[in-house]
């Protein structure tokens, strides 16, 4: 599932959204939501690269 092309950029966009929430919205809820969103994005990126593995054909 995570080898589809959308997951190559979706994780980066989610991490960027988390950083923007933490930096630009000045409230405790926005800080907590930014941290949660950023961790979710990092997990998505991690799962994507774990599923790709070391198979050289996945990089084509």
């Amino acid at each position: 599932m995570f080898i589809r092309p959308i997951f190559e950029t979706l994780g980066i966009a989610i991490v960027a959204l988390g950083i923007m929430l933490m930096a630009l919205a000045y409230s405790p809820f926005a800080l907590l939501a930014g941290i949660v969103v950023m961790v979710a994005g990092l997990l998505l990126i991690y799962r994507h690269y774990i599923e790709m593995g070391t198979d050289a054909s996945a990089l084509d």
Side-chain angles (χ1 to χ4, degrees), residues 2-3 7-9 12 42-55 59:
F2 289 106
I3 294 179
F7 290 103
E8 293 177 6
T9 56
I12 297 168
L42 291 173
L43 265 166
L44 190 66
I45 292 171
Y46 177 75
R47 292 270 321 262
H48 171 70
Y49 286 111
I50 289 299
E51 191 165 316
M52 274 183 39
T54 56
D55 185 18
L59 300 175

Side-chain angles (χ1 to χ4, degrees), residues 9-54:
T9 56
L10 184 64
I12 297 168
I14 290 174
V15 169
L17 175 69
I19 291 171
M20 287 177 23
L21 265 174
M22 289 188 303
L24 301 177
Y26 301 111
S27 72
F29 177 73
L31 179 65
L32 182 62
I35 291 170
V36 168
V37 167
M38 194 166 74
V39 168
L42 291 173
L43 265 166
L44 190 66
I45 292 171
Y46 177 75
R47 292 270 321 262
H48 171 70
Y49 286 111
I50 289 299
E51 191 165 316
M52 274 183 39
T54 56

